[in-house]
Amino acid sequence: MTVPALELRNVSKDYLIKAGGGLIPSYRRHAAVAGVSLTIARNSIVGLVGESGSGKTTTGMMALRLVKPTSGRILVNGVDISQLDHKGLKPVRRQMQVVFQDSYSALDPMMTLAQIVAEPLDIHGVGSPREQTDEALSWLERVGLDRSYGGRYPHELSGGQRQRVAIARALILKPTVLIADEPTSALDVSVKAQIINLLQDLQEEMDLSILFISHDLSVVRSLTDRVVVMYRGQVVEEAETEAIFSDARHPYTRALLDAIPAANPRDRRVRRFLSVEEIEAATPRLARSELPEAAEPSQTPQLVSIGPGHRVAAIVTP
Amino acid sequence: MNLVDISGLTVTFSQYEGQVQAVRGVNLHVAEGESVGIVGESGSGKSVTCMAVMRLLREPQARIAADRLELAGTDVLAADRRTLASLRGRAAAMIFQDPMTAFDPVFTIGHQIIETIRAHRRVSKPEARAEAADLLRRVEIKNAETVLGYYPHQLSGGMLQRAMIAMALSCRPKILFADEPTTALDVTIQAQILQLIKELQAEFGMGLVMVTHDLGVVAETVDRVVVMYGGKIMEQGPVEAIFDDPKHPYTRALLASMPGQIGGRRRLTEIKGASPNPANPPSGCPFHPRCSLADAGCARAMPAFDVLTPGREAACWRLQ
Amino acid sequence: MLLYIIRRLISVALTFFVVSVIIFLMMHSIPGGPFDGNDMPVSEAVRAKLMARLGLDQPLHVQYLNYMWGVLHFDFGVPYQSPGESVIQLLSRAWVPSLVLGGLGVILGAPLGILLGMAAALNRNSIIDYFASTFATLGLTIPVFVISMLLILVFAVWLDWLPASGWGSPDRWILPIAAYAAIPIATYARYTRSAMLDCLNRPFVTVLRAKGLSENRIIFQHVLRNAAIPMVTVFLPMFIGTATGSIFVETMFRVPGLGAYFVSSIEARDYPLEMALVLMVTLMFCLAYFLADIAYAWLNPRIRVGGDH
């Protein structure tokens, strides 16, 4: 088996939260992410979905090492980066880039688009200034903007155009991994499809691996190969995208799918919503004998394999 | 009687760059108990249309002109401040996109609902408080009495949007404007809020204007759809007709570009180009620079509405 | 809330302590001493004796501890400039003109500034707004001593309506009060305007209008209450900030107040007086920030009630 582009092994992140307001405040640990493992195979797009507070963004930031994990390992192309310091991370940063939802605040308003796109080349000392500008202009073209945009500033662009610039800047160093955190959520409907198509095209052309963090399941369905569902800091289900849509096993995944608005008014229905307690109570219980792979019985949910590439958080009964 | 009666509405903003026409000749009618969805992208003029009929735009930076601009039978262009204040919240209520910033942070939820009730009706404070608690229970907030004493920062976005709906309904309005009420919320909460709005609309028999960029929200909630682009209406009609048989190229393109309709990773049908710049809109039909069917005539003038069937209209030169 | 107050008090006490140490060290590290001046020529022996009597020959930390021990007993020592009385006596005499003039200046200026700022915010881009903005900019950019000179020039020299300087009869107070008031009017007008505009632009104001509340209720109950939150944090310390203006105003109008002694005590290396004055200003600042914090917490339910979702 080939080495995955990105692998998280049992990664956790705890934050200290103020618990008591006495003279000397007391703190308690809150696990924003608790023991998450996920793998992005080379040349694939994996969707990471979940509600706000599920830990999906923190997971993405840990993969980038913009947030240091409390425990666990992060491997990029097989190399463990979880303990690297600032200097050691610099070559890794070339391999791994990020695009955010709010591209406006992510682009320096005082720089021209050519400068913005060329900046990573400059930081990593690739090529002469002239070559850097040439490369930046050809990247603007590649993401669907005219070369003449090179002299413009971020405020002159629409949201979709800014997102194209952010993508060009992220990909100019030819990384192997791209983390995309809700890159289409702030975009107009007619532009959203453009950016989704751009990401698909670039992924194929560059043999790129993408972690696509999103709460929009419709976009995830059209864009990704696999889906990982997070709920309250943990992975509750993962499978190939179509298996998630056709054969979801975890109650939270089903709740998410059920919440997708109808695509046609004739499909309207009255929904019943599950409370947190109901979701927990509905955690699947699977008999050990039925599982295709060996698993120890447990009282708390654990991720178990239930089919090819399909894992779900379940309580394993003897 | 129409609850909303708008003809020939134009809204112009004075900005540094000059005059920006956000709404250019919109006609909109909403009957009693009817639910209408206004779909459009940012800059299409959908929110501005609703804000104009509520007279909530900041004037004189925004200049409103219309042949007719009526809300629950009152001419809001001619109305004075007092008349407007008595209409708002009572005949017509509005809820907004971001519930986290929609409440005054220094007063409790209870205070803000009670002050709404008492601004319009002569009821004592204890009575208003009891009503406020009932309203919170109606929007499915448990421990309503406790929540009345909460400050906005103590509640989640979903809970705040419920409280906002309760406040909007406190004077039993005849019409509710909902401006992207679920955009800022999580997927599951979105579905809950939409279902709640639908239920309450039926229960209270109110008119509903749902402003959204999300075709899914429209498919879920309204009877009639108005599609706006570049400050103008492109097409309108019953929701099933719009989804089954869109006539305007923009509506068609919009529906075709919805992601996730078919299983499997695939390229989506995209609409080329970007939304028009309101400060410098294209001539003629605003969609023509992005339209695959456009010809020279489309750039020359905006077409008139073709009435296809009663209540079903589209404005496109290529329809003939 | 009570715990919050206690925590703030502790931090105020710490701040006060740190500031007092820094000031003490700085003051003594300025080259020169009280008996180095040409106007008080003394022999080496006399000088050493004097230094010993005043305790100035001891190590700095001992001097500091001795001093602070005295301060705790309200003994600030004897001013070198006027050895006939204690620092406390001198200060209680010099307080009066400063408090009367500065206090009246701020008490009259602050509400005027706030009203001006409100009027400007509520009538944005109108004549009132332009007038207020121009006035505020002038008030903030023209130094106090220039304002004082202009006032003297116009009202005392050209028009000859009012006396130019001195202390005593109330008609002599008017010009210094006007000079004192210029800064509060300008700053308060500016801050009130921006705090109000900031609040008026927030989405909840649109919601309040959509609920059908009257404009008066929106402005006076909701907007003002919210605008007050950033305003108190700025205003209370600013109140004290006017104290520094007293140096110029009292020098220009020759008022025998604290400001005048501030200048002379630094020139004369009059450590006890200087130290007492600086400590007093520090204490007032600390108290102002303390009160501002409390007011801020009281006005802001996020701190008062806590429990962020």
Side-chain angles (χ1 to χ4, degrees), chain A residues 18 21-23 25, chain C residues 3-4 6-7 10:
Chain A
K18 214 170 182 174
L23 264 191
Chain C
L3 280 169
Y4 178 81
I6 295 173
R7 271 213 296 273
I10 293 172

Side-chain angles (χ1 to χ4, degrees), chain B residues 34-316:
Chain B
E34 192 188 17
S35 61
V36 175
I38 308 184
V39 197
E41 304 176 55
S42 53
S44 62
K46 58 189 192 303
S47 292
V48 177
T49 301
C50 295
M51 297 285 275
V53 75
M54 288 284 279
R55 284 286 302 274
L56 286 172
L57 295 168
R58 185 169 299 146
E59 301 167 39
Q61 287 94 321
R63 283 205 319 281
I64 305 173
D67 301 327
R68 186 202 287 267
L69 193 65
E70 287 183 6
L71 191 57
T74 307
D75 179 352
V76 295
L77 271 185
D80 60 12
R81 272 187 172 193
R82 277 186 77 151
T83 316
L84 285 174
S86 68
L87 269 178
R88 294 177 192 144
R90 189 190 183 95
M94 193 160 185
I95 56 176
F96 298 85
Q97 176 171 345
D98 186 0
M100 307 296 248
T101 59
F103 281 97
D104 184 335
V106 307
F107 292 100
T108 60
I109 303 292
H111 177 103
Q112 299 188 52
I113 300 180
I114 292 166
E115 92 180 333
T116 316
I117 296 174
R118 284 170 46 95
H120 295 290
R121 289 186 286 137
R122 297 175 68 95
V123 287
S124 71
K125 264 195 183 161
E127 281 172 317
R129 194 179 173 85
E131 265 189 52
D134 282 341
L135 283 160
L136 288 187
R137 277 189 281 271
R138 181 59 200 88
V139 295
E140 291 153 29
I141 290 181
K142 291 168 202 140
N143 54 7
E145 291 288 342
T146 324
V147 170
L148 281 182
Y150 277 171
Y151 287 90
H153 73 269
Q154 294 172 290
L155 292 172
S156 69
M159 290 286 268
L160 281 176
Q161 197 60 295
R162 285 173 193 274
M164 179 58 57
I165 293 170
M167 187 162 79
L169 299 185
S170 62
C171 293
R172 300 224 155 212
K174 294 195 184 105
I175 183 159
L176 176 70
F177 293 92
D179 190 353
E180 304 263 12
T182 57
T183 307
L185 304 172
D186 269 322
V187 199
T188 46
I189 310 294
Q190 280 184 17
Q192 293 175 19
I193 296 291
L194 288 181
Q195 185 155 316
L196 181 67
I197 292 175
K198 264 194 297 184
E199 277 171 25
L200 292 168
Q201 193 227 342
E203 185 182 322
F204 284 54
M206 350 171 247
L208 171 69
V209 176
M210 176 70 76
V211 175
T212 181
H213 69 276
D214 189 338
L215 286 163
V217 169
V218 164
E220 284 282 350
T221 51
V222 299
D223 306 333
R224 196 154 64 80
V225 181
V226 175
V227 182
M228 284 188 73
Y229 187 83
K232 291 173 186 284
I233 293 176
M234 300 281 106
E235 176 168 11
Q236 55 178 312
V239 66
E240 288 90 358
I242 295 282
F243 276 80
D244 290 347
D245 183 22
K247 293 292 186 194
H248 197 282
Y250 175 62
T251 318
R252 277 191 215 163
L254 212 52
L255 282 164
S257 71
M258 276 174 87
Q261 295 317 298
I262 321 165
R265 184 178 152 181
R266 62 185 62 244
R267 283 182 59 92
L268 297 166
T269 316
E270 58 183 68
I271 308 176
K272 301 270 180 240
S275 311
N277 173 3
N280 184 21
S283 58
C285 170
F287 188 58
H288 85 263
R290 303 174 77 186
C291 182
S292 53
L293 302 176
D295 62 15
C298 297
R300 243 173 266 135
M302 179 70 191
F305 277 104
D306 272 333
V307 180
L308 307 163
T309 51
R312 183 84 210 277
E313 305 179 336
C316 177

Side-chain angles (χ1 to χ4, degrees), chain A residues 86-202:
Chain A
H86 189 70
K87 209 174 140 200
L89 278 171
K90 196 169 175 187
V92 179
R93 299 247 183 266
R94 275 189 76 161
Q95 292 292 308
M96 212 167 22
Q97 292 288 327
V98 63
V99 179
F100 294 105
Q101 171 177 353
D102 180 7
S103 56
Y104 194 55
S105 61
L107 303 179
D108 186 337
M110 304 299 284
M111 287 166 74
T112 65
L113 300 187
Q115 287 169 334
I116 287 171
V117 175
E119 198 185 20
L121 294 175
D122 188 35
I123 291 171
H124 288 273
V126 182
S128 65
R130 207 205 156 93
E131 286 164 345
Q132 288 171 1
T133 309
D134 279 350
E135 181 74 5
L137 292 179
S138 64
W139 261 100
L140 284 179
E141 226 168 9
R142 194 162 175 188
V143 296
L145 294 171
D146 195 81
R147 289 176 87 91
S148 64
Y149 275 67
R152 299 201 190 184
Y153 290 89
H155 73 265
E156 299 175 69
L157 304 185
S158 68
Q161 290 171 327
R162 281 196 290 264
Q163 208 54 284
R164 288 174 191 272
V165 173
I167 290 171
R169 179 178 63 176
L171 296 185
I172 196 165
L173 285 167
K174 301 189 179 65
T176 49
V177 179
L178 178 70
I179 311 277
D181 191 354
E182 305 264 14
T184 59
S185 300
L187 299 178
D188 271 326
V189 195
S190 71
V191 179
K192 197 178 273 188
Q194 296 175 359
I195 299 297
I196 292 168
N197 287 346
L198 179 65
L199 284 174
Q200 307 236 30
D201 295 347
L202 290 169

Side-chain angles (χ1 to χ4, degrees), chain A residues 45-121:
Chain A
I45 305 184
V46 171
L48 184 57
V49 301
E51 61 199 15
S52 54
S54 63
K56 59 184 195 300
T57 291
T58 308
T59 303
M61 294 305 102
M62 282 195 288
L64 287 158
R65 273 296 312 273
L66 293 175
V67 166
K68 197 173 181 349
T70 312
S71 64
R73 295 176 69 197
I74 299 155
L75 290 92
V76 178
N77 299 313
V79 179
D80 190 340
I81 66 159
S82 34
Q83 297 304 322
L84 294 181
D85 59 8
H86 189 70
K87 209 174 140 200
L89 278 171
K90 196 169 175 187
V92 179
R93 299 247 183 266
R94 275 189 76 161
Q95 292 292 308
M96 212 167 22
Q97 292 288 327
V98 63
V99 179
F100 294 105
Q101 171 177 353
D102 180 7
S103 56
Y104 194 55
S105 61
L107 303 179
D108 186 337
M110 304 299 284
M111 287 166 74
T112 65
L113 300 187
Q115 287 169 334
I116 287 171
V117 175
E119 198 185 20
L121 294 175

Side-chain angles (χ1 to χ4, degrees), chain C residues 276-291:
Chain C
L277 281 166
V278 175
L279 281 185
M280 199 175 73
V281 173
T282 310
L283 185 67
M284 290 200 304
F285 265 108
C286 285
L287 281 179
Y289 276 109
F290 172 69
L291 290 176

